[in-house]
Amino acid sequence: MHNQLKKVAKLLAATAIAGTTAVSVHAHPHVFVEANIEVVRNASGEFTELRQVWRFDELFSSTILLDYDDNTDGKLDEKEIKAVTDIVKESIAEYDFYTAIRADDKPLEFYEPDKINAYYEGNQLIMFLSVEPTKSINLKQSALKVSASDSSYYVAFEFNNESITIEGNSDACNVSVVHPDFDKIYATTDSLTEAFFQDPQNSGFGDEFYSWANIKC
């Protein structure tokens, strides 16, 4: 567990974890990500896939470039990118790949993504991944909500209505993004983070503190 947390801190928080028995946390996130989310429907109106693109802030991106540019050519080649995405995939697996999906407010499980892809452009690291739900949900009958979020609050994901798209009969769907009171979140992050690490498998933890994209079709 400690090694996994060190990887998350290194790649997705850029902050230190000190000691071998305690986790040091800070009250505010240290990495900021612009998220774009695509909900895919099939011809029957079922939710079949969730695609995400994460654009990391320039400060964190420059840290990754410095740490993983092994040949010091000022860019990340295919091999170097793979080193980054392999560690990210391993590290965030226990955090549900920073992805939350709810159908009628109940957790909807999804298959692990085959891989995480990435590239470096305009001084920013850009990652993209997709997941598929383990069971079919007809969006004509069930309300769906999705989020890109980090329960431990190392990483802050930002998205709005314009960041959400529907693939497949999108005209029949309405999208609304609801944000929590972020001042309240950051004022209580220390206790929330401690609670998360005490029960990281609680799939419903933090729902009231997430930003959610609500989809109704």
Side-chain angles (χ1 to χ4, degrees):
M1 178 69 170
H2 180 63
N3 289 337
Q4 287 289 86
L5 292 177
K6 286 181 68 176
K7 291 176 182 177
V8 172
K10 176 69 173 179
L11 280 168
L12 300 173
T15 188
I17 291 178
T20 59
T21 60
V23 178
S24 298
V25 298
H26 299 276
H28 293 272
H30 290 263
V31 178
F32 296 87
V33 180
E34 294 178 7
N36 286 274
I37 302 172
E38 183 178 32
V39 174
V40 181
R41 304 173 70 206
N42 63 17
S44 300
E46 294 174 331
F47 166 54
T48 59
E49 185 180 5
L50 186 71
R51 302 168 181 165
Q52 297 184 71
V53 179
W54 299 339
R55 183 182 293 270
F56 289 82
D57 67 81
E58 291 190 9
L59 179 59
F60 175 74
S61 298
S62 65
T63 300
I64 294 299
L65 179 62
L66 288 172
D67 287 348
Y68 286 87
D69 181 18
D70 292 336
N71 58 11
T72 65
D73 64 352
K75 58 184 179 182
L76 295 177
D77 59 28
E78 184 176 344
K79 181 179 179 181
E80 293 160 349
I81 283 286
K82 188 176 186 305
V84 174
T85 57
D86 283 351
I87 293 178
V88 168
K89 185 174 184 292
E90 177 186 356
S91 299
I92 69 175
E94 65 181 291
Y95 300 86
D96 292 330
F97 298 96
Y98 290 166
T99 299
I101 307 174
R102 307 288 184 259
D104 295 328
D105 288 324
K106 296 180 181 179
L108 182 62
E109 295 183 355
F110 52 86
Y111 296 108
E112 179 176 313
D114 292 333
K115 62 180 179 179
I116 296 177
N117 295 298
Y119 60 96
Y120 202 94
E121 180 180 81
N123 298 321
Q124 287 184 285
L125 179 66
I126 301 168
M127 292 187 181
F128 49 102
L129 73 157
S130 67
V131 299
E132 297 180 0
T134 57
K135 66 177 182 179
S136 298
I137 296 294
N138 195 318
L139 298 189
K140 297 177 182 179
Q141 302 169 353
S142 298
L144 182 75
K145 64 180 186 180
V146 299
S147 182
S149 50
D150 174 16
S151 297
S152 66
Y153 296 100
Y154 285 125
V155 183
F157 288 87
E158 302 171 353
F159 56 90
N160 53 35
N161 280 39
E162 289 69 35
S163 308
I164 314 300
T165 57
I166 309 293
E167 175 67 28
N169 197 18
S170 60
D171 292 340
C173 301
N174 293 318
V175 176
S176 62
V177 172
V178 178
H179 300 291
D181 184 343
F182 285 111
D183 289 336
K184 179 181 178 181
I185 291 175
Y186 299 146
T188 59
T189 298
D190 286 344
S191 60
L192 288 172
T193 305
E194 181 180 357
F196 171 80
F197 285 118
Q198 289 176 352
D199 188 11
Q201 300 304 317
N202 183 353
S203 61
F205 179 84
D207 277 14
E208 68 271 32
F209 299 109
Y210 288 174
S211 290
W212 289 102
N214 298 293
I215 295 96
K216 294 183 178 180
C217 301

